[in-house]
Amino acid sequence: MSTTKDHSEQLLVSELKNSNEKAFRKLYDFYYQDIYGYSISLLKSKELAEENVQDVFLKIWLHRENLNLEQSFKSYLFTIARNQAFNLLNKAANDVLLKEEVFYTSEKSHVEGDYSIREADCKKLKKQAIKQLPPKRKRIFKMSRKEGKTYEEISQELGISVNTVKNQMSKALESMRVFFQVHDEFT
């Protein structure tokens, strides 16, 4: 049974690579609920989850020629959904209105169940990723994301250039992305 499903999925992904819109629509319809539920578990907001799903499938469509037929399409979708959600959460940490939406207002729409387990896993994974950063990079990351300081404020406080702060933040985010990919326990 599952080999037939895998084969038909692989066929659809192959068609998608060739810009077949019907194949794209079938894959979208098949995976929409899973990606939406996973996005809600991470973002705690119906609106943000919906936006995340749209972004995931937009990314799939825009990069369809690069799809790997040997790779699990489902795993690929969930990895994109997770990475985009984490990017949105990182952005939310610096955007007051978005922070309000993600961390406070959306608590009301929180769906119980195994999502709370996934949420705990995500928090644990994020803490581990931060813990892996070199001390200076970790300090800069925490000053920016947890204390909400601007790059200029960090630069002045630590006596380093704004470019150094930007480079350290860029390296911190990149190494965290890599950490999430290596420690992918969600797919």
Side-chain angles (χ1 to χ4, degrees), residues 10 68-72:
Q10 198 173 25
N68 181 349
L69 295 175
E70 302 304 311
Q71 181 185 18
S72 163

Side-chain angles (χ1 to χ4, degrees), residues 110-141:
H110 178 64
V111 179
E112 293 300 325
D114 70 337
Y115 296 140
S116 59
I117 295 166
R118 284 186 184 161
E119 180 186 6
D121 287 344
C122 289
K123 284 180 181 175
K124 191 169 91 178
L125 202 59
K126 188 174 181 185
K127 279 183 184 175
Q128 288 173 340
I130 293 169
K131 205 182 271 188
Q132 300 291 322
L133 297 173
K136 183 179 179 182
R137 198 170 292 161
K138 185 189 312 180
R139 184 164 182 218
I140 291 170
F141 181 83

Side-chain angles (χ1 to χ4, degrees), residues 5-6 9 13 30-31 34-35 38 56 60 67-68 70-83 180-181 184-187:
K5 185 187 94 53
D6 292 345
E9 178 180 284
V13 173
F30 187 77
Y31 284 110
D34 289 342
I35 300 300
Y38 182 58
V56 167
I60 292 289
L67 289 170
N68 181 349
E70 302 304 311
Q71 181 185 18
S72 163
F73 185 70
K74 182 178 182 177
S75 293
Y76 185 59
L77 278 176
F78 275 85
T79 300
I80 293 172
R82 185 199 61 227
N83 290 345
F180 291 138
Q181 287 170 346
D184 185 4
E185 302 165 358
F186 301 110
T187 54

Side-chain angles (χ1 to χ4, degrees), residues 48-115:
L48 292 174
E50 181 64 42
E51 186 180 323
N52 200 44
V53 172
Q54 298 305 321
D55 289 346
V56 167
F57 281 100
L58 176 62
K59 193 171 240 178
I60 292 289
W61 179 255
L62 293 175
H63 301 287
R64 62 191 177 276
E65 316 84 39
N66 304 324
L67 289 170
N68 181 349
L69 295 175
E70 302 304 311
Q71 181 185 18
S72 163
F73 185 70
K74 182 178 182 177
S75 293
Y76 185 59
L77 278 176
F78 275 85
T79 300
I80 293 172
R82 185 199 61 227
N83 290 345
Q84 300 223 145
F86 284 152
N87 287 342
L88 185 61
L89 290 171
N90 280 332
K91 183 180 169 197
N94 286 336
D95 182 324
V96 178
L97 291 175
L98 193 55
K99 188 188 293 184
E100 178 75 22
E101 170 66 23
V102 172
F103 295 113
Y104 303 110
T105 313
S106 60
E107 287 278 330
K108 297 172 197 156
S109 65
H110 178 64
V111 179
E112 293 300 325
D114 70 337
Y115 296 140

Side-chain angles (χ1 to χ4, degrees), residues 22-55:
K22 286 182 180 176
F24 175 75
R25 186 65 206 198
K26 282 182 181 176
L27 288 164
Y28 177 89
D29 290 342
F30 187 77
Y31 284 110
Y32 173 86
Q33 274 309 123
D34 289 342
I35 300 300
Y36 178 75
Y38 182 58
S39 296
I40 274 196
S41 76
L42 297 173
L43 298 168
K44 309 293 180 280
S45 160
K46 291 178 181 178
E47 293 79 16
L48 292 174
E50 181 64 42
E51 186 180 323
N52 200 44
V53 172
Q54 298 305 321
D55 289 346

